[in-house]
Amino acid sequence: MTEPPQPSSTPREGSGLGLAPPPLLVIRPLVPDPTVPAAYRLDLLGAALTTGEALLVMIAVASLVGVIRNDNTEVRVLGMLSLGATGISLFAAGIAAVVVAITSATGGSPRRRYLTWAICGGVVFAAPTLLGVFLTLLEVGIAWRGALLSIPTTLFALWTFRRMQRNRKPSWRLVVVAFAWGLFVAAYFAQMVEGILHVVITAELLPGTATILSHAAAAAVPEEVGKGAGVLVIVLLAWRHVDGMLGGIVVGACVGVGFQFAESMSYMTGDLGTVLYQHWYRQVTGLLVSHATYTGIIGAGIGLAMHVNDWRRRAVCAGSGFVVAIAAHLIWDVFAIGRLYWESDDSLLQLFVVQPLNLIVLKGPAFAILLLLIIIALRQETRALHQHLQEEARDPRGAISPAEVPVLVNPPLRFRMRLQALLRRDRPAYTRMKRLHSAQLDLAFARWGRDRGDPHLPEAQESLRQRIHELKAEFL
């Protein structure tokens, strides 16, 4: 294989970009071999499918309890629908197990086995997923005024959390998948499991402290389990695109935003006054400090666990995120169900002062924990990127010059450089510069992932180097 020539570390005169001159040779980009096992992680896919199966079992148990113990016709009908959907899934799971076993026995490439598992998993979870989507869309249709009001705030929240990854932003596709899990899957799971738990608690316990604590736990635990399972599944399947603890936080927060949207719709089915109050309460003052915060904390633990080699430490990292999130959620629910927060007879004072104050006191500590985790994750990521950018600059095959390292580790400086191109009305230069910075950071992340144990293919790094050389050549 022809080695790429070493780029000069001397900045090109007159460019103002600190770019090295392009290589003299053009290297054909390498295509990863689809038979390489590292490209298709069956262990991660299997863990994701197992997580989904666990959720299905819990939904089936809750549905059965709802059908047997509840006299409410709507609850019984919903329980029977869920039992039917989970029954279809179990039947499909049996067929899928046979197909997977035959595929494994007959051999085939890792890619073929991975696709077989993935397709079979999609078929297994199709029925309950479609039921969850239908129920959520039905609720959104009923609360259409609240949905229209909540779309701008939801988009703002997703944009805000995506912007937290200042060095390599996740794709909008990943953000939308995370949001959809919170909106459809987690909301449906909570509706079934949490709803049945509330029914049982109301029937078995007399009003009092024990009832308040039980109802609070019945809300906090299933909701965080359903959302956290989504974070785990997404991180397992998109492990190449989730960068450590910060990536987990972003995925978790987006799942929480989706759940917040679905939960808001359930409270916005009244008159216009109720809709406006609930929108202010859930989509304005409480948007970033509620479910997005709780699930962001879970995501931090899962994201950190994905890059720890010891299984016990992984369990501690992921479990700690769940424990903190459930505890923070439980505290709020206890005070809310027990009406232990401050209230005012003055509606304006209640709306603009007392209610935000309750959120600050009761949800502020969890939000502060999330902000602290974000700061720690950003610093960790910046240090790692600086280290691997320097190593790439010292590599004879490197596609990054030493002069470019300070620019690449400084997001505001990268933005100012692109902004200067726009002010000069040089849109092509802006586009090329953005693509160049993204490719160079992708190369640093690939090196970082390799050191963390992720099986990034060497061919992928070579393709990135070639891409960087080609982009630099365009500045000539």
Side-chain angles (χ1 to χ4, degrees):
M1 181 177 65
T2 305
E3 292 290 340
Q6 180 181 3
S8 172
S9 61
T10 305
R12 184 166 61 88
E13 295 182 1
S15 67
L17 300 175
L19 300 176
L24 298 177
L25 298 178
V26 176
I27 305 170
R28 187 181 303 275
L30 297 173
V31 179
D33 185 354
T35 63
V36 177
Y40 303 98
R41 297 287 301 275
L42 284 176
D43 56 338
L44 299 184
L45 178 59
L49 294 177
T50 302
T51 302
E53 289 289 351
L55 293 183
L56 279 182
V57 170
M58 285 186 275
I59 291 174
V61 172
S63 301
L64 183 61
V65 173
V67 171
I68 294 174
R69 298 206 49 176
N70 196 277
D71 295 329
N72 188 298
T73 303
E74 294 181 359
V75 175
R76 290 174 65 89
V77 170
L78 184 59
M80 287 188 287
L81 287 174
S82 294
L83 279 177
T86 52
I88 293 173
S89 295
L90 291 176
F91 177 75
I95 298 176
V98 174
V99 173
V100 168
I102 293 174
T103 305
S104 301
T106 56
S109 67
R111 180 177 182 273
R112 180 186 175 190
R113 293 199 299 271
Y114 186 92
L115 290 178
T116 302
W117 282 40
I119 293 172
C120 290
V123 172
V124 168
F125 297 110
T129 301
L130 290 176
L131 179 59
V133 170
F134 171 76
L135 293 174
T136 302
L137 292 180
L138 181 63
E139 198 163 48
V140 170
I142 296 173
W144 62 271
R145 291 175 299 184
L148 292 177
L149 284 173
S150 301
I151 288 175
T153 53
T154 298
L155 291 176
F156 168 76
L158 294 175
W159 178 84
T160 299
F161 286 114
R162 182 175 180 268
R163 292 285 300 177
M164 287 192 314
Q165 286 196 264
R166 305 169 67 189
N167 295 306
R168 185 170 72 164
K169 295 179 181 60
S171 66
W172 277 108
R173 181 172 58 182
L174 183 64
V175 170
V176 170
V177 168
F179 174 79
W181 181 284
L183 177 63
F184 299 119
V185 181
Y188 168 60
F189 177 81
Q191 184 178 17
M192 291 307 305
V193 178
E194 176 184 347
I196 299 303
L197 287 176
H198 286 312
V199 169
V200 173
I201 292 169
T202 302
E204 297 294 334
L205 297 179
L206 296 175
T209 303
T211 302
I212 293 174
L213 293 175
S214 298
H215 279 300
V221 176
E223 290 180 8
E224 299 311 320
V225 168
K227 293 182 296 175
V231 179
L232 179 60
V233 169
I234 293 170
V235 171
L236 288 171
L237 296 181
W239 56 276
R240 289 177 181 267
H241 307 284
V242 179
D243 303 314
M245 186 164 65
L246 185 59
I249 292 173
V250 173
V251 171
C254 292
V255 171
V257 171
F259 188 90
Q260 182 87 2
F261 186 92
E263 186 180 67
S264 299
M265 296 305 101
S266 65
Y267 289 93
M268 293 184 181
T269 57
D271 56 21
L272 183 59
T274 301
V275 170
L276 292 175
Y277 171 77
Q278 292 294 337
H279 180 265
W280 168 259
Y281 173 43
R282 299 180 183 278
Q283 288 291 315
V284 179
T285 57
L287 180 62
L288 302 181
V289 299
S290 297
H291 291 290
T293 292
Y294 305 144
T295 322
I297 293 173
I298 294 176
I302 293 175
L304 184 61
M306 286 295 293
H307 300 294
V308 175
N309 294 327
D310 184 69
W311 278 101
R312 288 173 294 184
R313 295 175 62 191
R314 286 183 176 180
V316 170
C317 292
S320 298
F322 274 95
V323 169
V324 173
I326 292 173
H329 194 162
L330 186 64
I331 290 172
W332 167 256
D333 283 347
V334 167
F335 278 83
I337 295 174
R339 301 187 69 85
L340 303 175
Y341 44 70
W342 295 299
E343 292 183 284
S344 174
D345 295 332
D346 188 321
S347 58
L348 292 178
L349 187 64
Q350 171 69 25
L351 195 63
F352 296 108
V353 178
V354 177
Q355 180 182 294
L357 183 61
N358 284 324
L359 292 175
I360 292 173
V361 173
L362 297 177
K363 295 188 176 182
F367 187 64
I369 291 174
L370 179 65
L371 291 179
L372 179 61
L373 292 173
I374 292 171
I375 293 172
I376 294 173
L378 278 171
R379 290 183 175 179
Q380 179 190 48
E381 182 178 277
T382 301
R383 287 196 299 267
L385 285 180
H386 188 264
Q387 173 188 342
H388 291 288
L389 287 169
Q390 287 185 322
E391 290 178 0
E392 180 68 19
R394 293 192 296 265
D395 194 326
R397 305 168 301 166
I400 299 172
S401 69
E404 293 173 295
V405 174
V407 175
L408 293 173
V409 296
N410 192 329
L413 182 55
R414 298 198 306 265
F415 174 75
R416 285 199 299 270
M417 291 177 62
R418 295 196 298 267
L419 182 61
Q420 289 172 1
L422 282 180
L423 293 177
R424 295 195 306 267
R425 298 183 179 180
D426 190 355
R427 184 59 184 267
Y430 167 85
T431 303
R432 288 193 297 267
M433 196 181 306
K434 184 176 182 179
R435 291 175 179 173
L436 174 62
H437 290 164
S438 297
Q440 290 173 318
L441 290 171
D442 285 344
L443 179 57
F445 274 107
R447 296 181 65 111
W448 185 25
R450 179 200 60 193
D451 288 354
R452 292 189 311 236
D454 292 344
H456 287 275
L457 302 178
E459 292 87 347
Q461 296 186 29
E462 293 297 337
S463 295
L464 283 170
R465 291 189 180 100
Q466 171 62 19
R467 175 63 174 157
I468 293 169
H469 290 317
E470 292 173 352
L471 288 169
K472 287 184 176 183
E474 294 180 7
F475 281 98
L476 288 177

